[in-house]
Amino acid sequence: MERPAWAPQGIDISVPSVSRMYDFYLGGSHNFEVDREAARKAMEFMPGLPKIMQANRAFMRRAVRYAVSQGISQFLDIGSGIPTFGNVHEVAQAADPEARVAYVDHDPVAVAHSRAVLEGNDRAVIAAADLRHPQEIVKNPEITGLLDLDRPVALLLVAVLHFIEDADHPQSAVAELREALAPGSIVVMTHASYEGVPLPREEAGGTVEVYKKIRNPLVMRSRAEIAGFFEGYEMIEPGLVSMPHWRPDAPVVTEQEDPFAFSGFAGVGRKA
């Protein structure tokens, strides 16, 4: 397999990557056939996966604009993936040219491509780190050199927590990040769940098995379990809801939407 210029040396491009599969779902070009094959297998069980990813991105953009409207100009996006059109820094800096954005990912492809995309932007950086080790994030010099953690920050945990198994203590990681943030900070979160998926659980479970086989387990948590990640935050209206229902730009007509768009949950919380 020929290695394209954007794929960093030292990574095995014969193994599917969650970041590159996500890029494929969104219609991006930074993915390999191995990623497309795994994504297509997942879509055999849940054909609406691209629609779920689109709803996820649309929610993220609305939440970023909300944060800017609340006077927040610093963003910490963990599990940021491969940058696509309308990513956090583009949305935030369109609303506030002074906005600063720190991306974090542990995927070498996502980090390498992000560096290329962000070249020349002195108000955005990418750091290689893992959500499982929050202290490595909040003490990373690339991040602390850009963001002032003594001032409010918008912490984005968008479509990332469902890739962390309970054995890796995701709630503790989220709590450590919360403690590192200043009062007035907000957390923006989405998470996969069987709730809302317009398929029998057994059928949707086929997608979970695909991710398990590529050694990136997809953890489908209940609404109550997802709500637990917001401990220590005051939920912003309308609370923990399906992605299209969080402060939509226009009234949501459920009957006119793809039912897959309502899979999983999204929410925003504020630290007092």
Side-chain angles (χ1 to χ4, degrees), residues 161 168-176 178 225 227-231:
L161 283 166
D168 288 321
H169 311 293
Q171 281 194 304
S172 295
V174 173
E176 280 191 55
R178 183 190 68 235
E225 289 172 320
F229 289 118
F230 287 93
E231 182 179 352

Side-chain angles (χ1 to χ4, degrees), residues 74 147-153 180-183 185:
Q74 302 189 108
L147 304 183
D148 179 0
L149 298 184
D150 291 327
R151 293 175 46 238
V153 170
L181 299 180
S185 295

Side-chain angles (χ1 to χ4, degrees), residues 1 13 17 34 71 77 82-83 85 90 102 116 148 177-178 184 197 199 206 210 228 249 256 258 262 265:
M1 182 187 302
I13 61 176
S17 154
V34 67
D77 183 2
I82 295 172
F85 176 74
E90 293 175 331
D148 179 0
L177 290 168
R178 183 190 68 235
V197 177
L199 292 172
V210 170
D249 295 326
Q256 296 177 4
D258 186 315
F262 300 95
F265 293 97

Side-chain angles (χ1 to χ4, degrees):
M1 182 187 302
E2 184 177 348
R3 182 184 296 272
W6 54 264
Q9 297 296 321
I11 67 163
D12 187 348
I13 61 176
S14 68
V15 177
S17 154
V18 166
S19 293
R20 298 193 305 261
M21 289 171 68
Y22 189 87
D23 179 68
F24 171 71
Y25 292 136
L26 289 173
S29 59
H30 290 85
N31 49 76
F32 303 121
E33 182 55 33
V34 67
D35 307 304
R36 296 188 284 273
E37 182 180 350
R40 291 187 193 110
K41 285 181 181 177
M43 289 168 63
E44 288 178 10
F45 300 98
M46 291 182 65
L49 279 170
K51 181 48 108 177
I52 295 173
M53 306 312 168
Q54 291 165 18
N56 187 76
R57 296 287 294 185
F59 159 76
M60 177 274 289
R61 292 169 187 150
R62 296 195 304 276
V64 167
R65 289 193 292 267
Y66 169 80
V68 173
S69 77
Q70 299 301 299
I72 294 177
S73 60
Q74 302 189 108
F75 296 82
L76 177 58
D77 183 2
I78 301 178
S80 51
I82 295 172
T84 55
F85 176 74
N87 213 11
V88 175
H89 72 281
E90 293 175 331
V91 178
Q93 292 174 352
D96 176 4
E98 299 298 308
R100 297 172 180 266
V101 179
Y103 292 111
V104 177
D105 208 289
H106 72 286
D107 184 333
V109 172
V111 173
H113 188 54
S114 296
R115 290 200 195 285
V117 168
L118 298 175
E119 187 175 357
N121 188 331
D122 61 1
R123 296 185 180 276
V125 298
I126 174 71
D130 194 318
L131 176 55
R132 296 171 182 84
H133 307 291
Q135 291 303 312
E136 293 180 8
I137 295 174
V138 297
K139 294 179 181 178
N140 184 292
E142 289 182 283
I143 294 171
T144 58
L146 182 71
L147 304 183
D148 179 0
L149 298 184
D150 291 327
R151 293 175 46 238
V153 170
L155 168 64
L156 280 77
L157 299 173
V158 176
V160 63
L161 283 166
H162 48 234
F163 289 116
I164 300 185
E165 297 179 280
D166 290 340
D168 288 321
H169 311 293
Q171 281 194 304
S172 295
V174 173
E176 280 191 55
L177 290 168
R178 183 190 68 235
E179 290 306 307
L181 299 180
S185 295
I186 67 171
V187 64
V188 176
M189 193 183 305
T190 64
H191 198 297
S193 176
Y194 285 118
E195 297 176 41
V197 177
L199 292 172
R201 181 174 177 138
E202 296 73 22
E203 188 173 346
T207 291
V208 174
E209 286 301 311
V210 170
Y211 280 90
K212 185 176 180 180
K213 286 178 181 176
I214 65 171
R215 298 180 181 177
N216 280 283
L218 178 59
V219 184
M220 305 288 268
R221 295 187 171 95
S222 68
R223 185 181 186 280
E225 289 172 320
I226 297 167
F229 289 118
F230 287 93
E231 182 179 352
Y233 290 97
E234 175 189 353
M235 293 299 294
I236 303 298
E237 289 293 333
L240 189 60
V241 295
S242 67
M243 293 178 287
H245 283 126
W246 197 89
R247 298 186 176 233
D249 295 326
V252 176
V253 181
T254 304
E255 295 76 14
Q256 296 177 4
E257 294 283 340
D258 186 315
F260 276 98
F262 300 95
S263 305
F265 293 97
V268 177
R270 179 181 286 109
K271 180 178 176 179

